Amino acid sequence: MTFRTPLVSPRFRLESPSGLSAEINANGSIRRLNYRDILLNLFLGNEVEGGPANLYLRRHGTSLDAIPLLGPRSPAVFFENKGELSARGKWRGIRFAVRLVLAESAPAWFWHVGLENTGAEAATLDLIYAQDLGLAHYGVVRLNEYYVSQYLDHAPLAHSERGWVLASRQNQAMGGRNPWCLIGALGRGISFATDALQVHALATRAGRMPVGIAEGLPGIRRQHEHAMAAIQDAPLRLEPGETAERGFFGWFEADHAAATSASDLAFVDRALALPEAFFPLALGEREFKKDFTLSERPPFGQPRHYAESKPHLNFPHPNPLPEGAGVSSATLFSTAPLLEVLELTEADITHLFDAERREEEVVDGCVLSFFTGSRGHVVLKAKELQVLRPHGQILRTGSQLIPDEAALTSTVWMAGVFHSMVTQGHVSINRFLSTTHSYLSLFRSHGQRIFVEISDSWRLLDLPSAFEMRPEGCRWIYQHDAGLIEVRSLALTDRHELNLAVKVLSGPSVRCLISNHVALNGDDGAGAVPVRYERDGQGVLIRPIAESDVGQRFPEGGFRIDPFPGTDLERVGGDELLFVDGRSRDQPFLCLVTA
């Protein structure tokens, strides 16, 4: 058996003569899926969190459990194997192997998943493939993912053998062309979704399992702002020792002039006729036997027991992997739980806010929001979990009524984004911190975030008990089992300065890790460009690299982060402080750890 070194930074690239290419992060997630000048996916996956594109393995029983097979939350170890992505792992007695292969003769891709029941009881399993879709030029997608999604038309089609497949067409022409793709199961698709709102709903915002994964996909077309083609494969039952194969396929057309129709089902047959559509004998580890032909393969997805299998159809693996073997790619954003916050009582609300409240919003006896004082509006946790559009505020320093190139702007969000899209002057240039991508919390690492250490364990400050908005700043209230934490963000009017303050109002003191996703070097912080910073007696000076747009405009320029008097910075570092193994992946993060 050959063993390979697990991937670390940097990411690697798969390429096909057909023009299709994929950039894979070290954690096994998809960063980019391209066909020449067209970006197929909608959101860029990253080394810290992965991305929305994923394969979910579900185990049915008295309750349903699920695990993503890609990204830092996967229990797999990932390998680059002869120009393909391979992965192996074990979860709840199910040993799995994954392989991504790009077809050579056509712009098509295939996910092959092998499953083996190593437990003592039968297991009922299924897979869901979720692929976010942009089908547009890179610059268009990066400018506004929501806008791109609104121009995508999704059409579910019923194939006689493969069940539901999803065709998606970009109706906004890209260079005179209408990119189109088709996604389906190699087994039989029994349901589907066409938007991440159906897959995740607001459960991900609350830190829970995505609704579509927990309950199954709805089988309804919805064309909204997070375009995603998701296919749910038919379930299978594996007895102890049995193995089976499952998988999914995608086909891309650079220009599909006509609207999708039933005639496009021909592309399903074209994709499944490709040699890469056949399940590999061991996901890159087995050799074809000389006397073995494609016609001798057992029916796709049919379980097999070792005792009944031909020798060359065994399902070998490297040495058994322990649970969580992919820990090398784990980060605080994938392992640290959200701080569980409590609902505020009437007494809490009266104590924390003005006693005289106006325009209270009450539903079924539950207070959702109210105005306070002459300039404040407060939203409670219960409302944020019921509305599609999240609550946030735009802050701007200074007091001029006309544009000021020296002014700083920031966007803050209720769900623990304390500053984001921090820019000086025009908001499209001179950007310091990244903006948030997706209001469904598909990403949590963008902008400025805070982890607090409670009982020797990090917790991410995310959705608070209450959020107060005023013109000059915002306040977050985190009521938890051990105490009460207050966070304030402020834009000063007498000078161009943004503030952040964390105060423990009750309970034990906490250490804070403040994560800043730096976008100073371009593409909103998407590139693998470590932050260039200098620590001095006052704080930290962050400078752009010389070849960036900001670096060319302001060779000696930069942004400063200075602690308030009495704030002790224990440590200043880059992205290595976010990775569990303490190793950098060259991601543009500046992390500050307070005493």
Side-chain angles (χ1 to χ4, degrees):
M1 187 67 66
T2 350
F3 294 94
R4 301 172 179 83
T5 305
L7 287 174
V8 290
S9 185
R11 63 182 70 95
F12 72 99
R13 180 182 176 90
L14 308 180
E15 292 185 277
S16 162
S18 68
L20 199 64
S21 64
E23 290 183 15
I24 312 294
N25 292 311
N27 56 35
S29 63
I30 301 297
R31 181 177 184 270
R32 291 179 63 169
L33 185 60
N34 301 276
Y35 179 81
R36 296 175 181 154
D37 63 335
I38 296 297
L39 180 66
L40 275 66
N41 55 313
L42 186 64
F43 297 99
L44 299 186
N46 61 52
E47 296 287 358
V48 174
E49 297 183 89
N54 221 314
L55 299 165
Y56 296 90
L57 174 61
R58 307 196 309 165
R59 180 163 183 160
H60 302 257
T62 53
S63 63
L64 184 138
D65 201 1
I67 193 75
L69 300 185
L70 308 176
R73 290 183 174 86
S74 168
V77 172
F78 300 93
F79 306 89
E80 181 181 7
N81 179 20
K82 299 178 182 178
E84 300 169 357
L85 169 66
S86 295
R88 283 180 172 75
K90 186 178 180 182
W91 171 72
R92 290 199 54 190
I94 303 299
R95 191 174 289 162
F96 64 86
V98 179
R99 176 175 176 254
L100 169 64
V101 57
L102 308 183
E104 290 191 7
S105 60
W109 67 98
F110 297 90
W111 289 100
H112 293 290
V113 182
L115 302 170
E116 176 193 353
N117 184 359
T118 64
E121 298 180 355
T124 300
L125 310 168
D126 67 4
L127 287 162
I128 291 177
Y129 173 36
Q131 177 63 63
D132 54 312
L133 292 175
L135 304 180
H137 291 138
Y138 182 84
V140 175
V141 174
R142 294 294 287 162
L143 185 65
N144 191 321
E145 295 98 344
Y146 310 138
Y147 182 84
V148 168
S149 290
Q150 290 167 351
Y151 279 91
L152 276 172
D153 176 68
H154 306 285
L157 302 173
H159 189 271
S160 58
E161 295 180 5
R162 306 303 174 180
W164 288 111
V165 296
L166 287 174
S168 302
R169 179 180 185 267
Q170 179 55 261
N171 287 338
Q172 180 70 33
M174 296 291 144
R177 298 164 293 160
N178 295 98
W180 182 92
C181 78
L182 183 74
I183 289 177
L186 293 176
R188 185 172 183 83
I190 62 170
S191 194
F192 62 88
T194 59
D195 196 272
L197 186 59
Q198 297 172 297
V199 177
H200 290 265
L202 300 184
T204 301
R205 184 185 291 177
R208 300 191 295 266
M209 184 186 297
V211 168
I213 305 304
E215 301 175 2
L217 301 181
I220 299 172
R221 177 173 64 175
R222 181 165 190 170
Q223 302 190 159
H224 203 61
E225 294 175 322
H226 291 75
M228 177 174 282
I231 293 289
Q232 180 178 333
D233 196 16
L236 74 155
R237 179 182 172 90
L238 284 183
E239 298 295 334
E242 279 189 331
T243 67
E245 304 92 21
R246 284 292 187 266
F248 301 89
F249 69 91
W251 179 284
F252 178 77
E253 286 289 304
D255 185 19
H256 194 285
T260 300
S261 68
S263 64
D264 290 314
L265 286 170
F267 288 105
V268 176
D269 301 322
R270 289 177 63 182
L272 298 180
L274 295 171
E276 293 85 359
F278 291 95
F279 189 82
L281 288 178
L283 298 178
E285 288 292 348
R286 275 177 287 186
E287 297 288 339
F288 280 94
K289 297 296 180 180
K290 293 180 179 178
D291 59 347
F292 186 81
T293 62
L294 294 179
S295 62
E296 291 176 294
R297 291 179 182 271
F300 185 88
Q302 177 179 308
R304 296 194 303 266
H305 194 282
Y306 281 153
E308 302 168 354
S309 300
K310 298 180 181 179
H312 58 276
L313 289 178
N314 287 343
F315 191 78
H317 288 267
N319 291 334
L321 297 171
E323 299 288 339
V327 70
S328 60
S329 65
T331 72
L332 286 183
F333 284 104
S334 67
T335 60
L338 308 184
L339 179 66
E340 291 285 345
V341 297
L342 307 175
E343 301 284 354
L344 297 180
T345 64
E346 179 66 26
D348 294 330
I349 295 174
T350 302
H351 173 71
L352 290 165
F353 305 98
D354 293 344
E356 295 183 5
R357 305 196 295 268
R358 297 177 288 108
E359 305 296 335
E360 280 193 335
E361 183 182 10
V362 182
V363 176
D364 296 331
C366 177
V367 178
L368 300 181
S369 69
F370 54 86
F371 287 87
T372 177
S374 60
R375 306 163 75 240
H377 181 59
V378 177
V379 177
L380 301 182
K381 172 186 174 182
K383 183 172 183 179
E384 178 75 353
L385 293 178
Q386 295 181 35
V387 297
L388 179 62
R389 302 296 187 194
H391 295 87
Q393 177 85 321
I394 297 174
L395 306 177
R396 180 178 72 99
T397 64
S399 57
Q400 295 191 44
L401 298 180
I402 59 175
D404 181 356
E405 191 173 358
L408 297 175
T409 57
S410 174
T411 305
V412 303
W413 297 100
M414 181 174 178
V417 181
F418 303 108
H419 284 296
S420 72
M421 204 173 179
V422 173
T423 56
Q424 180 196 34
H426 196 289
V427 295
S428 293
I429 60 176
N430 302 346
R431 186 173 299 181
F432 175 44
L433 296 183
S434 67
T435 188
T436 55
H437 295 259
S438 159
Y439 52 74
L440 299 178
S441 294
L442 302 185
F443 297 93
R444 284 187 158 91
S445 62
H446 299 148
Q448 184 181 70
R449 305 302 304 259
I450 298 176
F451 295 89
V452 294
E453 190 178 43
I454 297 176
S455 301
D456 299 322
S457 178
W458 290 111
R459 302 282 193 276
L460 178 64
L461 296 184
D462 197 76
L463 190 63
S465 304
F467 177 58
E468 180 180 11
M469 294 167 279
R470 294 180 180 273
E472 71 280 3
C474 295
R475 178 165 69 133
W476 293 256
I477 297 294
Y478 292 89
Q479 176 85 56
H480 59 102
D481 286 334
L484 181 65
I485 297 173
E486 174 192 81
V487 182
R488 290 180 183 265
S489 288
L490 183 67
L492 302 185
T493 56
D494 58 343
R495 60 189 182 277
H496 297 302
E497 182 178 297
L498 297 168
N499 286 177
L500 172 71
V502 183
K503 181 183 291 186
V504 176
L505 300 180
S506 67
S509 58
V510 299
R511 295 168 75 223
C512 295
L513 187 154
I514 303 166
S515 166
N516 301 280
H517 186 219
V518 177
L520 194 57
N521 296 317
D523 203 2
D524 206 40
V529 184
V531 177
R532 180 185 168 204
Y533 68 91
E534 306 164 14
R535 187 174 182 183
D536 53 33
Q538 296 178 330
V540 184
L541 172 63
I542 302 95
R543 296 186 183 276
I545 59 174
E547 55 268 31
S548 68
D549 290 341
V550 177
Q552 292 175 17
R553 285 193 295 271
F554 304 103
E556 301 302 320
F559 288 84
R560 287 195 61 85
I561 297 180
D562 294 313
F564 287 129
T567 300
D568 181 19
L569 292 182
E570 273 188 4
R571 191 172 177 187
V572 176
D575 68 320
E576 72 278 358
L577 296 184
L578 296 174
F579 285 91
V580 172
D581 63 8
R583 299 163 64 187
S584 171
R585 271 68 167 179
D586 294 334
Q587 299 302 293
F589 285 87
L590 177 71
C591 297
L592 312 173
V593 182
T594 68

